[in-house]
Amino acid sequence: MSAPMISLEGLTSTTSFDQLLATAKSGGCASSTCGLSGKPDDMDPAVWEKIKDHPCFSEEAHHYFARMHVAVAPACNVQCNYCNRKYDCANESRPGVVSEKLTPDQALRKVIAVANEVPQLSVLGIAGPGDACYDWKKTKATFERVVGEIPDIKLCISTNGLALPDHVAELVDMNVDHVTITINMVDPEVGAKIYPWIFYDHRRYVGIEAARILHERQMLGLEMLTARGILTKINSVMIPGVNDEHLIEVNRWVKERGAFLHNVMPLISDPAHGTHFGLTGQRGPNAMEMKTLQDRLEGGAKLMRHCRQCRADAVGLLGEDRGQEFALDSIPGEVTYDPSRREAYQEVVARERHDHVAARSEAIGMVKAAGSGKSLLVAVATRGGGRVNEHFGHAKELQVYEVSPRGISFVGHRKVEQYCLGGRGDNATLDGVIAALEGIDVVLCAKIGNCPKDQLAEAGIRATDAYGHDYIETAISALYAAEFGIQPLAATA
Ligand code: SF4
Ligand code: SF4
């Protein structure tokens, strides 16, 4: 598949906005199937319509669309042993202080400012820094204000589930059709090791009783959402030795109750964060332990593997955080929503995406037809748009794909420290990057110097920029063909 006429690269910066508009105005999508591009064959079109622009509910959408979280809900009714209230909600965030808590009016200003500047924005989420359902008045007021100004934005909440059943009817009324519940256990004995207390019905509960109530409320909330057609994602924090094996049972329970996705995330545990687990030496899983558990869960509730454990005030594509660009004191007191940038972007994406879907299908067909029996783990440096388009030295994460006789699948990402700053690479940083790439066979990137390439090779990891700017799947299929001496045209013969 040749490169398309339209590229998203560069189209999202301020300086290229005229280009974005010109591209959008140059004609509508030629295909009547654009709206369905990327839809899995076995998915209901109505469900696809809900998720196709949601970067968390669709792996494919996360190459194109961005979310923002507004930190309007600081109060919480549960204590998790992996959370310190000074930090973001670990359910949905990496530890790090929320830069600023917002009132609903401040949140509205910020959302408008972001929507005017970040054309990829499609989802507004409330993920704490406490619990969106417990701090309900602020959650509801924020959503009502925002949809009054930006009616097409998707609304999303994240909750521990304890207060969820009380608000399902209002979620339906507000057209919130994506909800995340963090469910770490279905056995209260396991739960008692994770939750020291909950606050429910005007009282504090501890131990197994607390975990039992939380479990019952989580299951009730999930069932209520499923019955009303709201898509649910279940987040589970993998805590080695506490609930890692148990998450297989959790996956079964939530699948039976209609969960749309199951997102297993690694415990982030650092004594510096001051959490109970951090201070008592409870470790998190490493990347290969995560992958092994996720592989065991295949066949159950469908897995989300592209979660980035974002901050509760994150802004941008998954894996990038532009939150600092939109600090409240940098936003004018009066802001007016201008939909032109988002509309133009959506039109361009519809066309690019159609081309991407065709390229991916061809690439996966070639890999399956090759019948080589071999597999590779490939780490890709990308800035979005579904392409190999980031320099190795500039990458802050690499997306990991598995290519095997079953096809090409996204299986996760590896966070890394940026190796090259100001044109110079740092050897100590490179050592850390190499360690983070444990188990990876090949790195694909837009550019890489000889020095990091040689050091990667010494660690048994090949790296190449030969497929720079290709679609990721096209690049991986060409790599696969080259690695195993397969004729690239075999699939179409
Ligand atoms: S539910 Fe979220 S905010 Fe509340 S204690 Fe757990 S991780 Fe922290
Ligand atoms: S924490 Fe995960 S699910 Fe939530 S916005 Fe980030 S990527 Fe999406």
Side-chain angles (χ1 to χ4, degrees):
M1 174 69 54
S2 61
M5 296 293 291
I6 307 160
S7 167
L8 291 179
E9 284 180 53
L11 286 181
T12 51
S13 68
T14 307
T15 50
S16 61
F17 183 48
D18 289 345
Q19 189 188 355
L20 179 62
L21 279 176
T23 308
K25 285 177 182 164
S26 68
C29 178
S31 168
S32 61
T33 62
C34 263
L36 296 177
S37 289
K39 184 183 88 61
D41 292 341
D42 56 354
M43 186 176 289
D44 180 341
V47 173
W48 177 244
E49 195 55 38
K50 284 185 184 177
I51 67 163
K52 70 183 173 60
D53 299 344
H54 196 308
C56 308
F57 279 69
S58 161
E59 188 276 314
E60 197 251 340
H62 100 281
H63 295 290
Y64 300 105
F65 290 102
R67 52 66 184 113
M68 73 177 289
H69 290 160
V70 284
V72 294
C76 190
N77 48 355
V78 166
Q79 179 62 59
C80 304
N81 278 333
Y82 47 73
C83 177
N84 178 343
R85 294 286 199 281
K86 278 195 303 183
Y87 291 89
D88 291 0
C89 173
N91 291 341
E92 282 280 340
S93 351
R94 65 184 159 77
V97 284
V98 177
S99 302
E100 50 196 4
K101 291 170 194 157
L102 305 178
T103 65
D105 285 328
Q106 289 170 331
L108 173 64
R109 260 171 67 210
K110 183 167 176 175
V111 175
I112 292 175
V114 171
N116 287 346
E117 289 297 319
V118 180
Q120 302 102 322
L121 182 70
S122 63
V123 171
L124 169 65
I126 297 181
D131 187 79
C133 282
Y134 182 60
D135 221 341
W136 178 249
K137 281 188 185 157
K138 289 183 217 148
T139 297
K140 186 177 177 187
T142 302
F143 281 164
E144 285 174 345
R145 282 165 174 70
V146 171
V147 290
E149 298 289 331
I150 311 177
D152 72 322
I153 201 161
K154 288 188 189 309
L155 304 177
C156 197
I157 64 160
S158 170
T159 174
N160 59 44
L162 186 59
L164 171 63
D166 302 334
H167 301 296
V168 169
E170 290 165 288
L171 290 169
V172 173
D173 288 346
M174 286 194 296
N175 214 14
V176 176
D177 49 18
H178 300 80
V179 172
T180 294
I181 316 171
T182 297
I183 300 179
N184 295 317
M185 55 86 201
V186 292
D187 176 349
E189 292 204 8
V190 176
K193 298 176 190 162
I194 302 170
Y195 306 102
W197 57 259
I198 66 166
F199 188 75
Y200 174 65
D201 204 14
H202 311 291
R203 340 179 356 200
R204 184 176 292 238
Y205 293 83
V206 299
I208 289 181
E209 189 180 16
R212 182 186 53 75
I213 294 168
L214 179 62
H215 163 62
E216 288 171 1
R217 298 284 291 173
Q218 289 175 335
M219 293 303 125
L220 175 63
L222 172 57
E223 288 166 6
M224 290 172 73
L225 293 171
T226 300
R228 288 155 182 81
I230 295 178
L231 298 181
T232 47
K233 172 166 69 62
I234 306 304
N235 280 358
S236 298
V237 180
M238 177 182 175
I239 310 163
V242 174
N243 72 346
D244 44 351
E245 286 295 319
H246 182 62
L247 290 180
I248 293 166
E249 190 68 359
V250 171
N251 184 278
R252 190 175 64 75
W253 275 64
V254 301
K255 182 181 182 186
E256 285 171 4
R257 286 157 182 79
F260 181 73
L261 278 178
H262 190 193
N263 173 28
V264 177
M265 312 183 295
L267 172 71
I268 299 172
S269 177
D270 182 334
H273 301 156
T275 66
H276 174 80
F277 281 150
L279 293 172
T280 54
Q282 171 64 53
R283 72 173 183 91
N286 64 34
M288 291 312 284
E289 287 172 328
M290 275 290 299
K291 183 175 181 306
T292 301
L293 177 62
Q294 288 172 327
D295 288 348
R296 287 177 67 193
L297 294 174
E298 284 294 350
K302 184 173 160 42
L303 294 182
M304 174 190 190
R305 293 195 186 223
H306 62 284
C307 180
R308 304 301 202 275
Q309 294 177 279
C310 313
R311 295 172 58 95
D313 54 4
V315 174
L317 293 170
L318 305 191
E320 73 174 8
D321 188 2
R322 299 180 58 184
Q324 298 305 318
E325 295 172 40
F326 299 98
L328 258 197
D329 58 12
S330 68
I331 300 171
E334 293 283 325
V335 277
T336 307
Y337 176 50
D338 172 4
S340 57
R341 182 184 286 268
R342 288 181 65 236
E343 287 171 357
Y345 178 79
Q346 286 162 9
E347 209 170 306
V348 174
V349 165
R351 279 182 271 170
E352 169 86 355
R353 210 167 175 183
H354 183 66
D355 191 77
H356 186 184
V357 167
R360 183 172 54 210
S361 170
E362 184 179 5
I364 291 174
M366 191 286 289
V367 166
K368 285 183 175 172
S372 79
K374 306 271 182 46
S375 64
L376 290 172
L377 267 191
V378 183
V380 178
T382 176
R383 285 187 288 129
R387 292 178 184 270
V388 181
N389 54 8
E390 181 63 291
H391 289 211
F392 175 76
H394 297 169
K396 292 181 179 160
E397 68 165 37
L398 290 111
Q399 298 193 1
V400 180
Y401 288 76
E402 187 163 59
V403 50
S404 74
R406 294 187 303 280
I408 302 170
S409 311
F410 179 96
V411 293
H413 70 283
R414 305 281 176 92
K415 282 189 177 152
V416 294
E417 203 178 325
Q418 186 172 335
Y419 154 67
C420 181
L421 288 168
R424 295 179 65 86
D426 176 70
N427 277 340
T429 305
L430 184 57
D431 290 344
V433 175
I434 290 171
L437 294 178
E438 182 199 355
I440 298 295
D441 296 299
V442 183
V443 170
L444 299 182
C445 53
K447 206 81 194 156
I448 185 168
N450 286 333
C451 174
K453 195 171 176 177
D454 291 346
Q455 288 193 46
L456 282 162
E458 279 174 27
I461 303 168
R462 285 156 281 147
T464 176
D465 51 20
Y467 308 102
H469 302 282
D470 281 355
Y471 283 125
I472 291 170
E473 296 84 358
T474 304
I476 291 174
S477 70
L479 169 81
Y480 194 71
E483 290 270 318
F484 300 122
I486 298 156
Q487 289 300 316
L489 294 178
T492 53

